[in-house]
Amino acid sequence: MELCHAVLITTFPSPELNHWTLANGVHCVAAEMPDAPLTCLDLWCRAGSASEEPGEEGMAHFLEHMVFKGSERLGAGAFDRAIEALGGSSNAATGFDDVHFHVLIPPDQAAMALELLLDLVLNPALAEESFVLERDVVLEEIAQYEDQPDEQVLQQTLSRACRHHAYGRPILGRPDSLRAMTPASMRRFHRERYRGSNCCLAISGRGAADLKACIEASPLADLPAHATAPSETSLQLCPGRHQITVDRLESARLLMLWAGASAADQNWVVGADLATTLLGEGRRSRLVARLREELQIAETVDMDLSSLEQGSLITLEISCDPRQLEAVEGCVQDQLSNIEPFSSLELGRGQQLVGKGLRYSLESSAQVASMAASHRLWGRRQNLLAPLDHLETWSSERVQADLISQLQPEKACTLIAIPGEQH
């Protein structure tokens, strides 16, 4: 414990965050990182797949694609060429809760990159011809996703566990919904969601704070102030046991899914991160040591936490020979139902891994901007290393009482996936 305690109390400064809000409610945060070689501009919006209404399934992700097809000022491909000419790169991602668009750029080109980024995201052209062509691209992406056995096992688990919640739907959407979409319906989706307090811009890197004046004079300040909050429903997990056969699946799978507190409860999130680390990260974690190292009945053991705004998800995924499925499931049930208290050595190791993971996630300007924007967008105005303060409050007894007691087999949605035909 002495080494762990030293790691936890040693000062690892987080980049200082400068928060402000535009008159229309747009959130802004700047993180000064004088040694960063590149500046990151990261624009986030509460417009992920969970904000979609019936009939809009896949709209958020499709819109992400369409944004890069040009704006009213920039033709298709012009944005990418301009950013590359400035020495930068760009990307975007759509999740359940939000979508974000980011640019990595040399610091002296950040103001120009900001102008290009905001024009692209806030004024997408959504031209008819591009819309039709890109819809085919997204439909092909869905087909490829559905052709991946491992991805389908996970989606089948989510669909059953989150049956009455948007988290159970594929982020890519459904083909029938996509085929019914029009540029007009997408324009309406964009207009209703990319507003005021639904948006957050984060800048991290050298001279990040110097862009404040540019931001306040940018099109961000012209967004309508009123932001309709995305519909939110607290996640209620549907427990139960299911079995499916999946063609071309290389190994059998046991997946177990539990629901937990929302990302707003940072203390719970840190505790859950610690619990999943103690149970399923590394050769010395409880489940890996027992199933893979000692009994040698599992090929892989992975346990992950997905911190989400309407309720987090903890996933246990084990791959094994189909003949070992019964033994694996029985062992997991026994381990979770009769788990012994964690020793001080185990707890110290777990705290070290969680603490290091958080600190390593702040090494680059892109990582800092992403984390700062996500927290600020959802109302968590905090130092990026603040979770370390929560980490110290999780004793072995508290982990056992507050978390392990919730990770019981009967409270999980369990899916057994058996390999079918091999083509």
Side-chain angles (χ1 to χ4, degrees):
M1 276 295 289
E2 291 183 3
L3 175 59
C4 176
H5 183 64
V7 169
L8 291 176
I9 66 174
T10 301
T11 301
F12 292 89
S14 165
E16 184 177 348
L17 302 181
N18 176 24
H19 293 270
W20 73 97
T21 305
L22 303 184
N24 59 355
V26 173
H27 309 288
C28 303
V29 55
E32 191 64 32
M33 300 177 69
D35 297 326
L38 295 173
T39 292
C40 183
L41 313 172
D42 209 349
L43 179 60
W44 285 60
C45 183
R46 295 189 184 196
S49 64
S51 72
E52 297 163 350
E53 300 295 337
E56 294 179 338
E57 295 87 353
M59 181 78 84
H61 172 255
F62 187 9
L63 175 57
E64 176 208 318
H65 276 242
M66 286 303 302
V67 161
F68 286 95
K69 293 304 167 184
S71 68
E72 296 171 4
R73 192 184 100 192
L74 297 167
F79 173 79
D80 290 329
R81 290 192 296 271
I83 292 297
E84 290 172 6
L86 295 173
S89 62
S90 63
N91 211 335
T94 302
F96 287 125
D97 297 314
D98 33 47
V99 58
H100 71 113
F101 304 83
H102 78 261
V103 171
L104 277 170
I105 200 80
D108 59 346
Q109 302 294 340
M112 176 60 72
L114 177 64
E115 180 182 338
L116 293 166
L117 176 66
L118 295 182
D119 181 65
L120 189 79
V121 177
L122 301 183
N123 303 295
L126 306 183
E128 178 74 35
E129 184 177 355
S130 296
F131 190 91
V132 172
L133 292 173
E134 199 61 26
R135 175 164 51 201
D136 287 340
V137 172
V138 176
L139 289 170
E140 178 60 27
E141 188 176 350
I142 291 174
Q144 291 177 358
Y145 176 79
E146 292 177 344
D147 196 44
Q148 299 297 317
D150 289 329
E151 297 291 347
Q152 283 310 297
V153 170
L154 177 58
Q155 184 58 56
Q156 289 283 343
T157 309
L158 285 169
S159 298
R160 287 167 169 78
C162 311
R163 189 178 310 150
H164 308 299
H165 195 278
Y167 291 167
R169 301 196 310 255
I171 291 173
L172 298 183
R174 300 190 176 107
D176 55 343
S177 294
L178 285 159
R179 292 190 181 99
M181 292 175 191
T182 65
S185 64
M186 181 172 286
R187 194 168 286 111
R188 183 170 57 251
F189 181 91
H190 181 274
R191 184 172 60 249
E192 291 174 352
R193 287 159 179 79
Y194 285 68
R195 291 171 168 248
S197 57
N198 276 356
C199 296
C200 178
L201 176 67
I203 316 100
S204 60
R206 177 157 44 94
D210 298 340
L211 291 174
K212 184 175 182 179
C214 293
I215 294 167
E216 293 177 342
S218 76
L220 272 179
D222 299 328
L223 288 177
H226 176 67
T228 303
S231 57
E232 295 187 10
T233 304
S234 295
L235 177 61
Q236 299 294 323
L237 187 127
C238 301
R241 186 181 183 280
H242 311 273
Q243 183 169 314
I244 61 174
T245 300
V246 181
D247 289 346
R248 297 182 294 106
L249 188 66
E250 292 186 358
S251 300
R253 298 286 193 279
L254 166 66
L255 272 85
M256 301 180 76
L257 198 65
W258 295 267
S262 73
D265 188 345
Q266 289 282 285
N267 191 289
W268 182 92
V269 168
V270 170
D273 195 2
L274 177 59
T276 57
T277 298
L278 292 169
L279 289 171
E281 183 175 341
R283 295 175 62 183
R284 290 183 288 171
S285 62
R286 289 289 180 89
L287 295 176
V288 176
R290 183 62 175 159
L291 290 159
R292 199 184 70 190
E293 303 298 317
E294 296 174 19
L295 298 178
Q296 297 184 4
I297 56 176
E299 297 168 4
T300 62
V301 179
D302 296 297
M303 198 166 192
D304 296 306
L305 167 69
S306 298
S307 176
L308 299 168
E309 300 300 332
Q310 297 178 36
S312 299
L313 294 169
I314 292 176
T315 308
L316 172 63
E317 181 173 3
I318 300 171
S319 64
C320 65
D321 186 293
R323 294 167 295 184
Q324 299 289 358
L325 264 174
E326 184 177 351
V328 166
E329 187 175 8
C331 183
V332 169
Q333 291 178 345
D334 180 65
Q335 287 286 296
L336 294 178
S337 301
N338 304 292
I339 197 162
E340 294 292 328
F342 296 103
S343 68
S344 59
L345 187 63
E346 286 179 291
L347 186 68
R349 170 189 168 274
Q351 288 175 320
Q352 278 189 311
L353 289 173
V354 173
K356 286 179 180 178
L358 177 59
R359 286 186 288 271
Y360 292 158
S361 70
L362 301 180
E363 289 186 322
S364 73
S365 57
Q367 292 169 307
V368 168
S370 177
M371 188 178 296
S374 175
H375 282 312
R376 186 69 184 93
L377 179 66
W378 294 99
R380 295 185 289 277
R381 188 168 172 168
Q382 63 183 28
N383 182 288
L384 298 182
L385 289 179
L388 288 179
D389 297 332
H390 297 305
L391 186 57
E392 294 182 284
T393 70
W394 285 92
S395 64
S396 176
E397 293 75 18
R398 188 180 174 208
V399 170
Q400 190 88 12
D402 294 356
L403 289 167
I404 303 301
S405 63
Q406 297 302 310
L407 299 178
Q408 295 303 299
E410 67 275 9
K411 297 181 179 181
C413 177
T414 299
L415 180 73
I416 304 294
I418 300 172
E421 294 183 12
Q422 303 297 317
H423 301 303

